[in-house]
Amino acid sequence: MINLMEPSLWRTQAFINGVWCNARAQKTFAVENPATGEIIAQVADVGVAETREAITAAAQAQLDWAQKTAAERSQLLRSWFNLVMHHQEDLAQILTLEQGKPLAEARGEIAYGASYIEWFAEEAKRIYGDVIAPPSADQRILVIKQPVGVVAAITPWNFPCAMLARKIAPALAAGCTIVAKPAAETPLSALALAFLAQQAGIPAGVINVVTGTDSAAIGAELTENTLVRKLSFTGSTAVGKQLIQQCAADVKRITLELGGNAPFIVFDDADLDAAVAGAMASKFRNAGQTCVCANRFYVHRPVYALFSEKLTLMMQSLLVGNGAEANTTIGPLISLKAIKKVQALVDDAIAQGARIAYQTKLEITQQGYFYPPTLLLDVAADSALTQQEIFGPVAALIPFDTEEDAIQLANNTEVGLAAYCYTRDAKRIKNLSDKLETGMVGINTGLISNAMAPFGGIKQSGWGREGSHYGIDDYVNIKYLCERF
Ligand code: NAP
C-alpha cells in the first residue's frame, strides 16, 4: 500500500514517556485513505488513563528539560529538523495517504512544518528578560521568562504535520514538555514526527502523542488535569469555545487557532492576473480545506465579469484525483460528511439566486470523497456560504461598488483570521490595512503563512500567535524580581 524508504516511520501505537504502546484495552481505530475509502491502518485507541499517564510523564520530564541550556534544547530541535527534512519524501507519502492532499502540497507541508522547528531551534537561544529602571536607587527590577510547564496540544486533520510542529517546537524551545492529541482522521503523520524526535535524541516524556477517538474524554483530561499548565488548540471555533470553559476551572493558559472566513477583495485597479493566481493558491490549496482559505470573493463591479472569466480559465486546469498520482493538483475532501456540508452550502446559495458559472466534471471511479471545483456567481451577500467556512473547493463571487462597501462586507462576520486584497493604490492599501478586522492581511498575495510571521486571528478566530518571535510568548511566564540592596 505504501513503500517507505524508512519503514520505521509507519507507527500505529501511541507514544508515551518514550515508549510505543497499545491502548490498555487493546482497542484500535481505523484510519482511512480519503482518496479511496480504503483502511490504511489500525491505530491504538487510547483514553483517559493513558492520557493521564502521558501527562504525568511530561510533568516529570519537564523538570530536567527546563534545566537544559537553551543551546542544548536548540541543538536537539535542530537535529529533529534535519531528520524531518531528510525524511521529507516518506513523511509526504504518509501525509497524502491519510489526508488526501496532492504529494507536491504534502512535501510543501513537511517543509513548512519543519521550518517552525528550525525557527524555534533558533528562538530557543533568544528568550530574553529585562532590567527595568526602579522607583528608588536601592532597588533593581529584573524580569525573567520561565517555561509555563506541561502543554497540551490538540490539532486538526487539515495540516497534520504543520499544526503540530508549530506547537511542539516553541513549547520545547521555551523549556516546556508536551502531550499532543492529533485528529483521529490523521494520526500517522504525528506519530512519524514523534518517531523522528525520538531518533533526534529528544528525551523520553518531553513529547508524548496520545491517539484516540474519544476526543471529548481525552480533551477533558488534558484541560482538567492540574499538571497541565497550558492548552494550545487548533480547530473549530465551536470546540475552542468548549475548551475555554473546561480550562476555566484552574485558569489554564490557552492559545486558540480557530476557524476563519477570509474575504478576498479585488479592486478594479488590481493586476487581475496576479489576483487570479492568488485566488487559485488561496482557494484551492488543500481542496479548500484551510483555515486561511479565501472563503468569499468580493470583486469590484467593473472587473467582476473579467475576473470570473479569468478564474474559470485557471480552474479548468485543475486536475482532481488521488493525491498520490503525479498529475493531481486537487485531492479529495476528508470525509463524506465534509462533502455533504459543502453541497448543502452550495444548494442553499443556489436557492437564494446564485448560479454555477463553472464546475469541474469529475471522472473519478474510485470510492473517494471528491468534490468538483466550483465557481458560483451572484451569491447573496448574506448567504450561509459567506457566513460559514466552506472548507471545500467552491469559489463564491460577490460584486461590490465602493471601497467602504467592500470593507463593510469583509468585516461582517464573527471571525477574523485572514483577509486578502488586490489593489495598486497605496492609499487604499493603508485604509484596508487599518480597517480590515483580521489578524492577518495578504496584500497582493494569496499566500501568507511562514515561520517568521505571527499567525493568528482576532474576534472568534482565537487567541495568541504561532510562529515568529511572538510565538514563544505563549509558552513562557513572566516573573518580576524586585531586589533591594
Ligand atoms: P475540530 O472538530 O474542532 O477538531 C480539531 C481537533 O479537536 C481534533 O483533534 C479533534 O479530535 C479535537 N476535538 C474535537 N472535539 C473535541 C472535544 N470535545 N474536546 C477536545 N478535543 C476535541 O476541527 P476540524 O473540523 O477537525 O478542523 C477544522 C477546523 O480547524 C476549521 O474550523 C479550521 O478553520 C480550523 N483550523 C484553524 C487553524 C488556525 O490556525 N486558525 C488552522 C487549521 C485549522 P477528533 O478529530 O479526533 O475528534
Side-chain angles (χ1 to χ4, degrees):
M1 190 187 322
I2 186 167
N3 203 1
L4 298 175
M5 286 174 275
E6 176 50 75
S8 320
L9 288 168
W10 190 258
R11 318 300 301 188
T12 56
Q13 292 170 301
F15 185 57
I16 299 172
N17 203 14
V19 178
W20 295 94
C21 44
N22 295 322
R24 283 188 190 171
Q26 300 297 319
K27 268 172 49 185
T28 59
F29 63 95
V31 179
E32 213 182 1
N33 178 350
T36 61
E38 280 173 337
I39 291 174
I40 52 169
Q42 291 288 341
V43 172
D45 194 353
V46 310
V48 170
E50 296 90 338
T51 305
R52 196 168 295 156
E53 204 180 305
I55 293 169
T56 307
Q60 190 59 40
Q62 204 261 330
L63 302 175
D64 286 340
W65 183 248
Q67 289 307 312
K68 285 194 183 299
T69 63
E72 286 170 327
R73 290 199 296 270
S74 170
Q75 194 53 53
L76 287 165
L77 283 168
R78 165 65 63 174
S79 303
W80 187 27
F81 162 76
N82 289 340
L83 282 174
V84 171
M85 287 312 292
H86 181 73
H87 293 286
Q88 180 182 17
E89 187 57 32
D90 275 353
L91 293 170
Q93 299 275 349
I94 294 170
L95 208 169
T96 291
L97 198 66
E98 68 175 346
Q99 201 277 338
K101 68 182 62 176
L103 262 177
E105 281 189 35
R107 288 183 193 110
E109 181 182 337
I110 301 303
Y112 170 65
S115 73
Y116 283 89
I117 304 176
E118 183 184 39
W119 175 262
F120 284 109
E122 295 300 322
E123 286 300 298
K125 295 180 281 187
R126 298 186 189 122
I127 302 174
Y128 302 119
D130 251 325
V131 183
I132 298 175
S136 66
D138 63 346
Q139 278 184 313
R140 188 160 60 179
I141 295 177
L142 302 175
V143 175
I144 60 171
K145 292 186 182 167
Q146 297 181 303
V148 295
V150 175
V151 173
I154 301 178
T155 50
W157 47 264
N158 59 350
F159 287 88
C161 165
M163 295 303 102
L164 201 55
R166 70 186 195 186
K167 297 186 187 311
I168 299 180
L172 266 55
C176 303
T177 54
I178 201 156
V179 179
K181 193 216 82 73
E185 291 91 341
T186 55
L188 301 169
S189 296
L191 293 171
L193 276 184
F195 174 75
L196 291 177
Q198 187 181 32
Q199 298 299 301
I202 292 176
V206 171
I207 298 175
N208 305 273
V209 181
V210 289
T211 48
T213 50
D214 195 348
S215 48
I218 295 171
E221 182 62 26
L222 290 175
T223 49
E224 287 159 19
N225 189 315
T226 52
L227 289 176
V228 176
R229 295 293 168 81
K230 178 196 167 65
L231 171 72
S232 180
F233 172 73
T234 299
S236 60
T237 299
V239 173
K241 286 180 184 177
Q242 190 181 327
L243 294 171
I244 293 172
Q245 290 184 356
Q246 289 171 212
C247 286
D250 65 347
V251 197
K252 229 182 263 320
R253 286 183 61 172
I254 323 180
T255 297
L256 297 168
E257 296 287 356
L258 306 177
N261 179 8
F264 191 107
I265 311 170
V266 182
F267 288 91
D268 60 358
D269 62 34
D271 174 342
L272 276 198
D273 292 325
V276 168
M280 292 297 293
S282 172
K283 178 69 250 183
F284 296 106
R285 196 164 55 103
N286 203 12
Q289 304 170 107
T290 86
C291 54
V292 290
C293 256
N295 206 55
R296 310 164 277 152
F297 289 87
Y298 297 117
V299 186
H300 220 162
R301 206 175 293 276
V303 292
Y304 185 76
L306 187 57
F307 180 80
S308 87
E309 269 169 40
K310 284 177 179 278
L311 188 57
T312 301
L313 265 180
M314 292 294 281
M315 285 175 68
Q316 284 167 354
S317 65
L318 289 170
L319 270 174
V320 180
N322 187 331
E325 285 159 17
N327 294 334
T328 297
T329 54
I330 188 156
L333 299 192
I334 193 68
S335 63
L336 188 58
K337 192 173 150 212
I339 291 189
K340 288 183 176 165
K341 184 198 154 195
V342 174
Q343 190 58 53
L345 287 171
V346 169
D347 289 346
D348 173 75
I350 290 172
Q352 289 192 58
R355 61 188 171 88
I356 295 180
Y358 173 75
Q359 189 164 53
T360 306
K361 196 170 161 348
L362 292 186
E363 289 172 16
I364 307 288
T365 49
Q366 303 145 320
Q367 294 298 303
Y369 306 126
F370 295 95
Y371 193 88
T374 302
L375 177 63
L376 287 176
L377 294 183
D378 305 333
V379 176
D382 59 351
S383 67
L385 202 63
T386 68
Q387 289 302 313
Q388 295 177 26
E389 280 184 294
I390 303 171
F391 251 54
V394 176
L397 265 57
I398 299 156
F400 70 87
D401 292 306
T402 68
E403 190 172 321
E404 287 312 309
D405 285 351
I407 293 170
Q408 195 263 329
L409 285 164
N411 288 343
N412 183 25
T413 170
E414 290 167 341
V415 294
L417 191 59
Y420 305 89
C421 50
Y422 276 77
T423 175
R424 290 178 167 116
D425 183 323
K427 201 167 159 199
R428 181 172 270 162
I429 289 173
K430 162 86 170 66
N431 192 36
L432 292 161
S433 305
D434 288 346
K435 292 187 182 162
L436 287 172
E437 295 171 356
T438 56
M440 300 173 282
V441 182
I443 299 158
N444 295 321
T445 177
L447 293 174
I448 52 175
S449 284
N450 57 70
M452 298 89 199
F455 189 102
I458 61 170
K459 293 160 88 174
Q460 294 190 25
S461 287
W463 295 336
R465 292 294 178 268
E466 291 189 326
S468 80
H469 70 90
Y470 301 103
I472 212 98
D473 293 348
D474 283 23
Y475 295 90
V476 290
N477 289 326
I478 285 177
K479 186 182 276 177
Y480 145 55
L481 309 174
C482 183
E483 294 183 348
R484 180 148 243 149
F485 302 100

